[in-house]
Amino acid sequence: MDYLPIFLNVKKQLCLVVGGGEIAKRKAGVLLDAGAHVRVVAPEIDPALAKMPHVESIVARFEAHHLDGVTLIIAATNDRDVNILVSRIARERNIPVNVVDDPELCSFIMPAILDRSPLMVAFSSGGASPVLTRMMRGKLETIIPQNYSRLAAFAERFREQVKLRVSSPAKRRIFWENALDGVVAEKVLTGDERSAEAMLQQMLASEDNIVRGEVYLVGAGPGDPDLLTFRALRLMQKADVVVYDNLVSKPIVEMTRRDAERIFVGKKRADHTLRQEEINELLVRLAKQGKRVLRLKGGDPFIFGRGGEEIETLAAEGIPFQVVPGITAASGVASYAGIPLTHRDYAQSCMFVTGHLKDGTMNLDWDALARPKQTVVVYMGLHGLDTLCSELVKHGMPESTPIAIVQQGTTQNQRVVTGTLATLPGIAAIEKLQAPTLIIIGGVVKLREKLQWFHPQPS
Ligand code: SAH
């Protein structure tokens, strides 16, 4: 950060503008908008500027004594020597100075602003690219409606009352976020402030309404952040606490709100950092503190994600929750690897199974899996790969059936290893694959040779 962004109170403070032309007039206008009194010094002063209320004009060349009693200075002359002189004296006297379009002479720079007073957004590229800054402002201009001014003024009107009623700063923040991000805000924005006020008072009336914690059980997809849903993203930026595990990729965790607390609950094979019951309890505890808790899970929460168990506990405790589906590994990974899960010629159905070993064995319906014309997708199957292939062959699947293992599908580290039921265990053993890996079995795997060039690349 090259500059410290601050908002300065200049109400009734004397500010100096050196220069009397068009730019000086504009700068004086901004100062006057902020409530300042403005002294303008120049040999010639635009009459419109001289006539503005709260403007004291001095028709003269700049001299050091013009700085007396001044809080802030803007130099907007086209004479660099004058600008240098103003800058030097201002710095000697420790008065903040801005010289228009001359960053070297400035002790502060003026941002581009988006004014929805009392809401104010300031932009700066630190002088690197004023055009980029203006473009950014243009974009925000379209997404922050004019009547946000009204919303900010509404919030200001109730600020003291809410502060008295809700003394904890954390709870107060949640209260305001709920009010300004929900129906209350909608009412204000459409101009119905009476209803908005009634709703706000209702929220304040009971402790339960002030802060209601909730849990968002959100599927984060298989890894590529581009595969998040809009809803996932919106809730990720709203939550106060994020509870996540290994399967959620780092770039995705980093897209959660910057100041949110992030809790890692682990879960690698046989190395459960927190047991499932402990995770369930953690979610309940956090929600009861009034927090908006994001339980972020890889893929889809309801596919081998134990999401069902987590919400069962929440439901039993009466904690509000919502579930946001995600792209499950099977569909994300298959498309990035160029393998269609069904195909008229090769597979009319597709099965998702878990290859998780329990006491060293895989408890699966082998006869059903070995049937022809279907695709079998195995989650958590790498460690049982030998058993998987040999059991399928034993139950009648041809040894030549194509099979693929996809490592870290949809991410930069995606790797696809293919073979047949007979050869793949041997190939996988020397490939040193890294978790997570997904196994896809069936005729569709062959299509990869034709289709892999057309599938989306990890971004
Ligand atoms: N709920 C998740 C699955 C959790 S089980 C979902 O819907 O995708 C964990 C298993 O998912 C891993 O062992 C692996 O088999 C699979 N998996 C998840 N993400 C993956 C990825 N990016 N690449 C390959 N496999 C993945």
Side-chain angles (χ1 to χ4, degrees):
M1 201 152 84
D2 290 330
Y3 292 89
L4 173 74
I6 57 170
F7 290 87
L8 199 65
N9 182 353
V10 289
K11 281 203 179 61
K12 299 208 172 104
Q13 304 282 316
L14 185 60
C15 299
L16 176 69
V17 174
V18 185
E22 196 51 42
I23 299 174
K25 191 166 80 183
R26 223 171 43 233
K27 297 292 174 186
V30 179
L31 292 169
L32 293 167
D33 283 348
H37 291 178
V38 179
R39 174 182 291 162
V40 182
V41 178
E44 265 179 69
I45 298 176
D46 182 320
L49 167 56
K51 267 198 272 166
M52 288 178 178
H54 302 297
V55 168
E56 166 202 352
S57 33
I58 303 178
V59 181
R61 288 190 66 78
F62 167 75
E63 285 170 36
H65 69 87
H66 293 138
L67 294 186
D68 294 348
V70 158
T71 307
L72 183 116
I73 304 162
I74 299 179
T77 79
N78 49 14
D79 182 337
R80 188 142 203 269
D81 290 341
V82 175
N83 288 345
I84 291 173
L85 181 68
V86 175
S87 172
R88 185 171 56 76
I89 304 174
R91 283 165 186 250
E92 276 167 14
R93 298 217 207 156
N94 280 328
I95 307 172
V97 60
N98 175 272
V99 177
V100 176
D101 284 339
D102 203 337
E104 262 174 45
L105 299 181
C106 293
S107 67
F108 74 93
I109 53 174
M110 299 279 282
I113 54 177
L114 177 71
D115 187 358
R116 300 282 187 269
S117 287
L119 181 75
M120 181 77 84
V121 187
F123 298 85
S124 163
S125 62
S129 172
V131 173
L132 192 65
T133 315
R134 274 200 296 277
M135 275 164 54
M136 248 169 71
R137 184 187 52 190
K139 275 194 186 151
L140 267 198
E141 188 88 49
T142 56
I143 56 174
I144 303 183
Q146 276 295 342
N147 45 12
Y148 256 58
S149 287
R150 200 184 259 168
L151 188 58
F154 178 86
E156 189 174 36
R157 189 144 67 87
F158 295 98
R159 198 163 162 220
E160 278 312 309
Q161 188 196 351
V162 173
K163 205 166 171 179
L164 284 175
R165 176 79 182 80
V166 190
S167 54
S168 137
K171 285 190 176 180
R172 204 157 58 231
R173 196 187 72 201
I174 295 172
F175 174 87
W176 275 121
E177 283 175 356
N178 290 342
L180 297 177
D181 193 23
V183 276
V184 173
E186 295 301 327
K187 289 287 175 201
V188 178
L189 292 176
T190 54
D192 186 359
E193 293 202 15
R194 273 172 60 144
S195 306
E197 180 172 352
M199 285 174 180
L200 191 94
Q201 298 301 358
Q202 200 184 7
M203 281 172 74
L204 283 174
S206 98
E207 192 62 31
D208 277 353
N209 291 351
I210 288 177
V211 272
R212 291 190 71 201
E214 52 184 336
V215 176
Y216 317 131
L217 183 61
V218 173
D224 184 349
D226 266 11
L227 297 179
L228 284 170
T229 61
F230 286 127
R231 184 137 158 241
L233 191 61
R234 192 155 49 75
L235 296 175
M236 282 162 68
Q237 290 176 351
K238 198 167 157 185
D240 308 297
V241 194
V242 182
V243 178
Y244 68 103
D245 47 52
N246 296 64
L247 221 46
V248 181
S249 70
K250 196 159 173 258
I252 290 182
V253 175
E254 273 162 14
M255 286 164 87
T256 56
R257 214 174 77 198
R258 256 171 162 249
D259 60 338
E261 184 188 351
R262 294 173 185 171
I263 305 177
F264 176 70
V265 290
K267 263 212 198 158
K268 274 192 198 132
R269 226 178 51 87
D271 165 29
H272 288 199
T273 311
L274 276 195
R275 283 184 300 113
Q276 185 64 48
E277 300 73 50
E278 290 171 322
I279 297 177
N280 301 350
E281 280 160 22
L282 175 71
L283 297 179
V284 169
R285 196 167 63 244
L286 291 168
K288 283 193 169 167
Q289 291 165 4
K291 298 197 169 128
R292 285 168 308 185
V293 186
L294 177 76
R295 172 65 173 121
L296 201 53
K297 300 185 79 87
D300 181 274
F302 282 175
I303 295 185
F304 306 127
R306 305 189 74 170
E309 293 166 48
E310 292 178 10
I311 57 174
E312 242 172 73
T313 325
L314 298 172
E317 297 278 347
I319 290 166
F321 61 84
Q322 48 175 308
V323 182
V324 182
I327 293 187
T328 189
S331 63
V333 168
S335 40
Y336 278 51
I339 303 172
L341 291 177
T342 66
H343 187 284
R344 284 216 305 192
D345 300 333
Y346 299 95
Q348 272 74 52
S349 65
C350 177
M351 272 187 173
F352 296 173
V353 299
T354 163
H356 192 61
L357 295 170
K358 219 174 183 180
D359 306 324
T361 60
M362 236 182 260
N363 192 12
L364 293 171
D365 181 350
W366 297 109
D367 287 324
L369 295 188
R371 272 185 218 129
K373 293 230 164 187
Q374 69 180 4
T375 306
V376 178
V377 181
V378 188
Y379 288 71
M380 299 172 273
L382 188 63
H383 287 265
L385 183 66
D386 292 0
T387 316
L388 185 71
C389 292
S390 61
E391 286 292 336
L392 286 173
V393 173
K394 229 189 271 172
H395 288 80
M397 206 184 245
E399 274 201 332
S400 59
T401 307
I403 164 168
I405 302 185
V406 186
Q407 158 193 303
Q408 301 181 358
T410 81
T411 72
Q412 304 280 6
N413 302 327
Q414 171 171 307
R415 266 175 71 205
V416 185
V417 177
T418 53
T420 64
L421 287 184
T423 62
L424 195 70
I427 299 173
I430 49 175
E431 284 288 345
K432 294 212 173 62
L433 292 163
Q434 292 189 358
T437 56
L438 193 78
I439 302 174
I440 306 176
I441 307 164
V444 288
V445 171
K446 267 202 299 246
L447 292 165
R448 176 178 152 73
E449 290 156 21
K450 273 198 264 172
L451 300 179
Q452 62 173 324
W453 306 111
F454 306 110
H455 67 81
Q457 295 293 330
S459 58

